[in-house]
Amino acid sequence: IAVGFVALAIVFIFAQVPKLQYQWNKVQFQSQVSEIVQATVAWKKSRPNFDAVSLNKVCLDGELSHSICGTANDGKATNPFGGDWSVTVNTGSKGLFDVKATLPSDAGRVVSLSNTMSAATRGNCIEATG
């Protein structure tokens, strides 16, 4: 009976691993976004806007950690979901910038992660769209 309970507990724990892994990746993702935003603002220095900003330039400025920049300072395959980071000037206003991420290893969770991040957007979105 004891072996049965131990086996059942092990099966339950292994069943929870994907959910726990996603939650951990989500926390790391949010932390990395915050770090990218802070480093990008620091990159601006006394420039009048974010024209020509890129993740590579922010990485080369030294404000961003190696775990986000990667070996080539391009943010490729460095987010917790195995995807890429990018920073670009906003198309509507050069005074703003966009942080983008890809999620190749967990594409089914794009909506969930988008809704998690929507409140952190400049527009304080209630819910992600598209």
Side-chain angles (χ1 to χ4, degrees):
I1 293 175
V3 171
F5 281 123
V6 169
L8 188 59
I10 290 172
V11 168
F12 176 75
I13 290 169
F14 279 116
Q16 297 303 314
V17 167
K19 183 186 282 186
L20 295 172
Q21 179 74 32
Y22 170 67
Q23 293 300 328
W24 177 247
N25 286 346
K26 186 167 64 169
V27 167
Q28 288 182 304
F29 187 88
Q30 290 172 299
S31 175
Q32 286 185 349
V33 167
S34 178
E35 188 176 341
I36 291 169
V37 167
Q38 290 174 1
T40 304
V41 170
W43 170 86
K44 183 177 175 275
K45 296 181 178 32
S46 10
R47 295 176 178 97
N49 55 45
F50 291 98
D51 195 23
V53 70
S54 69
L55 189 68
N56 178 260
K57 289 181 179 180
V58 175
C59 288
L60 292 175
D61 198 44
E63 295 288 338
L64 202 50
S65 70
H66 181 70
S67 64
I68 294 173
C69 293
T71 56
N73 287 325
D74 59 3
K76 300 292 182 198
T78 59
N79 78 37
F81 296 97
D84 305 337
W85 289 112
S86 68
V87 175
T88 56
V89 67
N90 183 278
T91 56
S93 171
K94 290 182 180 184
L96 303 173
F97 61 92
D98 298 326
V99 177
K100 296 179 185 174
T102 59
L103 306 175
S105 67
D106 218 347
R109 304 223 191 217
V110 169
V111 173
S112 173
L113 192 59
S114 296
N115 283 326
T116 298
M117 299 306 297
S118 65
T121 61
R122 185 172 189 273
N124 262 348
C125 299
I126 304 272
E127 183 176 44
T129 59

PDB file of all heavy atoms in Angstrom, residues 83-100:
ATOM      1  N   GLY A  83      12.788  31.579 -27.155  1.00  0.00           N
ATOM      2  CA  GLY A  83      12.622  32.514 -28.261  1.00  0.00           C
ATOM      3  C   GLY A  83      13.595  33.670 -28.232  1.00  0.00           C
ATOM      4  O   GLY A  83      14.509  33.733 -27.410  1.00  0.00           O
ATOM      5  N   ASP A  84      13.362  34.587 -29.146  1.00  0.00           N
ATOM      6  CA  ASP A  84      14.237  35.738 -29.338  1.00  0.00           C
ATOM      7  C   ASP A  84      13.640  36.987 -28.704  1.00  0.00           C
ATOM      8  O   ASP A  84      12.418  37.133 -28.615  1.00  0.00           O
ATOM      9  CB  ASP A  84      14.425  36.017 -30.834  1.00  0.00           C
ATOM     10  CG  ASP A  84      14.922  34.812 -31.607  1.00  0.00           C
ATOM     11  OD1 ASP A  84      15.523  33.913 -30.992  1.00  0.00           O
ATOM     12  OD2 ASP A  84      14.694  34.760 -32.826  1.00  0.00           O
ATOM     13  N   TRP A  85      14.498  37.909 -28.339  1.00  0.00           N
ATOM     14  CA  TRP A  85      14.110  39.246 -27.903  1.00  0.00           C
ATOM     15  C   TRP A  85      14.487  40.231 -28.994  1.00  0.00           C
ATOM     16  O   TRP A  85      15.504  40.061 -29.655  1.00  0.00           O
ATOM     17  CB  TRP A  85      14.852  39.650 -26.633  1.00  0.00           C
ATOM     18  CG  TRP A  85      14.437  38.936 -25.397  1.00  0.00           C
ATOM     19  CD1 TRP A  85      15.184  38.050 -24.692  1.00  0.00           C
ATOM     20  CD2 TRP A  85      13.194  39.057 -24.703  1.00  0.00           C
ATOM     21  NE1 TRP A  85      14.477  37.611 -23.594  1.00  0.00           N
ATOM     22  CE2 TRP A  85      13.256  38.210 -23.586  1.00  0.00           C
ATOM     23  CE3 TRP A  85      12.034  39.790 -24.931  1.00  0.00           C
ATOM     24  CZ2 TRP A  85      12.201  38.084 -22.691  1.00  0.00           C
ATOM     25  CZ3 TRP A  85      10.984  39.664 -24.038  1.00  0.00           C
ATOM     26  CH2 TRP A  85      11.070  38.822 -22.934  1.00  0.00           C
ATOM     27  N   SER A  86      13.699  41.279 -29.145  1.00  0.00           N
ATOM     28  CA  SER A  86      14.093  42.378 -30.027  1.00  0.00           C
ATOM     29  C   SER A  86      13.564  43.687 -29.451  1.00  0.00           C
ATOM     30  O   SER A  86      12.559  43.704 -28.744  1.00  0.00           O
ATOM     31  CB  SER A  86      13.582  42.177 -31.456  1.00  0.00           C
ATOM     32  OG  SER A  86      12.184  42.289 -31.504  1.00  0.00           O
ATOM     33  N   VAL A  87      14.267  44.753 -29.750  1.00  0.00           N
ATOM     34  CA  VAL A  87      13.861  46.101 -29.349  1.00  0.00           C
ATOM     35  C   VAL A  87      13.932  46.956 -30.599  1.00  0.00           C
ATOM     36  O   VAL A  87      14.952  46.977 -31.290  1.00  0.00           O
ATOM     37  CB  VAL A  87      14.798  46.678 -28.258  1.00  0.00           C
ATOM     38  CG1 VAL A  87      14.439  48.122 -27.947  1.00  0.00           C
ATOM     39  CG2 VAL A  87      14.762  45.824 -27.007  1.00  0.00           C
ATOM     40  N   THR A  88      12.841  47.653 -30.884  1.00  0.00           N
ATOM     41  CA  THR A  88      12.783  48.536 -32.053  1.00  0.00           C
ATOM     42  C   THR A  88      12.079  49.831 -31.668  1.00  0.00           C
ATOM     43  O   THR A  88      11.318  49.868 -30.701  1.00  0.00           O
ATOM     44  CB  THR A  88      12.013  47.882 -33.219  1.00  0.00           C
ATOM     45  OG1 THR A  88      10.701  47.518 -32.770  1.00  0.00           O
ATOM     46  CG2 THR A  88      12.732  46.652 -33.744  1.00  0.00           C
ATOM     47  N   VAL A  89      12.343  50.863 -32.442  1.00  0.00           N
ATOM     48  CA  VAL A  89      11.640  52.121 -32.232  1.00  0.00           C
ATOM     49  C   VAL A  89      10.171  51.907 -32.606  1.00  0.00           C
ATOM     50  O   VAL A  89       9.849  51.158 -33.524  1.00  0.00           O
ATOM     51  CB  VAL A  89      12.286  53.271 -33.044  1.00  0.00           C
ATOM     52  CG1 VAL A  89      12.113  53.067 -34.530  1.00  0.00           C
ATOM     53  CG2 VAL A  89      11.735  54.613 -32.605  1.00  0.00           C
ATOM     54  N   ASN A  90       9.282  52.537 -31.886  1.00  0.00           N
ATOM     55  CA  ASN A  90       7.854  52.439 -32.156  1.00  0.00           C
ATOM     56  C   ASN A  90       7.527  53.137 -33.472  1.00  0.00           C
ATOM     57  O   ASN A  90       8.026  54.235 -33.726  1.00  0.00           O
ATOM     58  CB  ASN A  90       7.076  53.079 -31.003  1.00  0.00           C
ATOM     59  CG  ASN A  90       5.594  52.964 -31.158  1.00  0.00           C
ATOM     60  OD1 ASN A  90       4.978  53.752 -31.855  1.00  0.00           O
ATOM     61  ND2 ASN A  90       5.023  51.976 -30.493  1.00  0.00           N
ATOM     62  N   THR A  91       6.714  52.504 -34.304  1.00  0.00           N
ATOM     63  CA  THR A  91       6.394  53.089 -35.613  1.00  0.00           C
ATOM     64  C   THR A  91       5.542  54.348 -35.501  1.00  0.00           C
ATOM     65  O   THR A  91       5.596  55.207 -36.366  1.00  0.00           O
ATOM     66  CB  THR A  91       5.673  52.071 -36.509  1.00  0.00           C
ATOM     67  OG1 THR A  91       4.512  51.588 -35.831  1.00  0.00           O
ATOM     68  CG2 THR A  91       6.576  50.919 -36.872  1.00  0.00           C
ATOM     69  N   GLY A  92       4.783  54.493 -34.428  1.00  0.00           N
ATOM     70  CA  GLY A  92       3.933  55.668 -34.271  1.00  0.00           C
ATOM     71  C   GLY A  92       4.616  56.857 -33.625  1.00  0.00           C
ATOM     72  O   GLY A  92       4.219  57.998 -33.819  1.00  0.00           O
ATOM     73  N   SER A  93       5.649  56.587 -32.837  1.00  0.00           N
ATOM     74  CA  SER A  93       6.338  57.670 -32.128  1.00  0.00           C
ATOM     75  C   SER A  93       7.772  57.245 -31.823  1.00  0.00           C
ATOM     76  O   SER A  93       8.007  56.235 -31.171  1.00  0.00           O
ATOM     77  CB  SER A  93       5.627  57.976 -30.811  1.00  0.00           C
ATOM     78  OG  SER A  93       6.399  58.870 -30.037  1.00  0.00           O
ATOM     79  N   LYS A  94       8.721  58.059 -32.271  1.00  0.00           N
ATOM     80  CA  LYS A  94      10.126  57.761 -32.004  1.00  0.00           C
ATOM     81  C   LYS A  94      10.485  57.963 -30.536  1.00  0.00           C
ATOM     82  O   LYS A  94      11.561  57.588 -30.097  1.00  0.00           O
ATOM     83  CB  LYS A  94      11.030  58.614 -32.890  1.00  0.00           C
ATOM     84  CG  LYS A  94      10.961  58.217 -34.343  1.00  0.00           C
ATOM     85  CD  LYS A  94      11.905  59.038 -35.172  1.00  0.00           C
ATOM     86  CE  LYS A  94      11.816  58.616 -36.627  1.00  0.00           C
ATOM     87  NZ  LYS A  94      12.791  59.317 -37.454  1.00  0.00           N
ATOM     88  N   GLY A  95       9.582  58.527 -29.773  1.00  0.00           N
ATOM     89  CA  GLY A  95       9.791  58.703 -28.347  1.00  0.00           C
ATOM     90  C   GLY A  95       9.471  57.444 -27.554  1.00  0.00           C
ATOM     91  O   GLY A  95       9.626  57.418 -26.337  1.00  0.00           O
ATOM     92  N   LEU A  96       9.014  56.418 -28.256  1.00  0.00           N
ATOM     93  CA  LEU A  96       8.667  55.149 -27.623  1.00  0.00           C
ATOM     94  C   LEU A  96       9.434  54.008 -28.292  1.00  0.00           C
ATOM     95  O   LEU A  96       9.951  54.170 -29.392  1.00  0.00           O
ATOM     96  CB  LEU A  96       7.163  54.881 -27.762  1.00  0.00           C
ATOM     97  CG  LEU A  96       6.226  55.948 -27.204  1.00  0.00           C
ATOM     98  CD1 LEU A  96       4.782  55.630 -27.576  1.00  0.00           C
ATOM     99  CD2 LEU A  96       6.387  56.036 -25.692  1.00  0.00           C
ATOM    100  N   PHE A  97       9.485  52.878 -27.644  1.00  0.00           N
ATOM    101  CA  PHE A  97      10.115  51.702 -28.245  1.00  0.00           C
ATOM    102  C   PHE A  97       9.259  50.476 -27.969  1.00  0.00           C
ATOM    103  O   PHE A  97       8.422  50.469 -27.071  1.00  0.00           O
ATOM    104  CB  PHE A  97      11.539  51.501 -27.716  1.00  0.00           C
ATOM    105  CG  PHE A  97      11.622  51.272 -26.235  1.00  0.00           C
ATOM    106  CD1 PHE A  97      11.610  49.988 -25.709  1.00  0.00           C
ATOM    107  CD2 PHE A  97      11.724  52.343 -25.354  1.00  0.00           C
ATOM    108  CE1 PHE A  97      11.686  49.775 -24.346  1.00  0.00           C
ATOM    109  CE2 PHE A  97      11.811  52.135 -23.992  1.00  0.00           C
ATOM    110  CZ  PHE A  97      11.791  50.852 -23.486  1.00  0.00           C
ATOM    111  N   ASP A  98       9.462  49.449 -28.773  1.00  0.00           N
ATOM    112  CA  ASP A  98       8.719  48.199 -28.647  1.00  0.00           C
ATOM    113  C   ASP A  98       9.673  47.074 -28.277  1.00  0.00           C
ATOM    114  O   ASP A  98      10.752  46.957 -28.859  1.00  0.00           O
ATOM    115  CB  ASP A  98       8.028  47.836 -29.966  1.00  0.00           C
ATOM    116  CG  ASP A  98       7.001  48.875 -30.402  1.00  0.00           C
ATOM    117  OD1 ASP A  98       6.358  49.470 -29.529  1.00  0.00           O
ATOM    118  OD2 ASP A  98       6.866  49.080 -31.619  1.00  0.00           O
ATOM    119  N   VAL A  99       9.264  46.259 -27.333  1.00  0.00           N
ATOM    120  CA  VAL A  99       9.993  45.053 -26.965  1.00  0.00           C
ATOM    121  C   VAL A  99       9.174  43.888 -27.493  1.00  0.00           C
ATOM    122  O   VAL A  99       7.980  43.784 -27.210  1.00  0.00           O
ATOM    123  CB  VAL A  99      10.157  44.922 -25.436  1.00  0.00           C
ATOM    124  CG1 VAL A  99      10.850  43.620 -25.073  1.00  0.00           C
ATOM    125  CG2 VAL A  99      10.907  46.107 -24.874  1.00  0.00           C
ATOM    126  N   LYS A 100       9.801  43.042 -28.286  1.00  0.00           N
ATOM    127  CA  LYS A 100       9.097  41.901 -28.872  1.00  0.00           C
ATOM    128  C   LYS A 100       9.806  40.608 -28.495  1.00  0.00           C
ATOM    129  O   LYS A 100      11.015  40.579 -28.302  1.00  0.00           O
ATOM    130  CB  LYS A 100       9.038  42.021 -30.387  1.00  0.00           C
ATOM    131  CG  LYS A 100       8.234  43.219 -30.841  1.00  0.00           C
ATOM    132  CD  LYS A 100       8.200  43.333 -32.337  1.00  0.00           C
ATOM    133  CE  LYS A 100       7.490  44.616 -32.725  1.00  0.00           C
ATOM    134  NZ  LYS A 100       7.540  44.877 -34.153  1.00  0.00           N
TER     135      LYS A 100
END
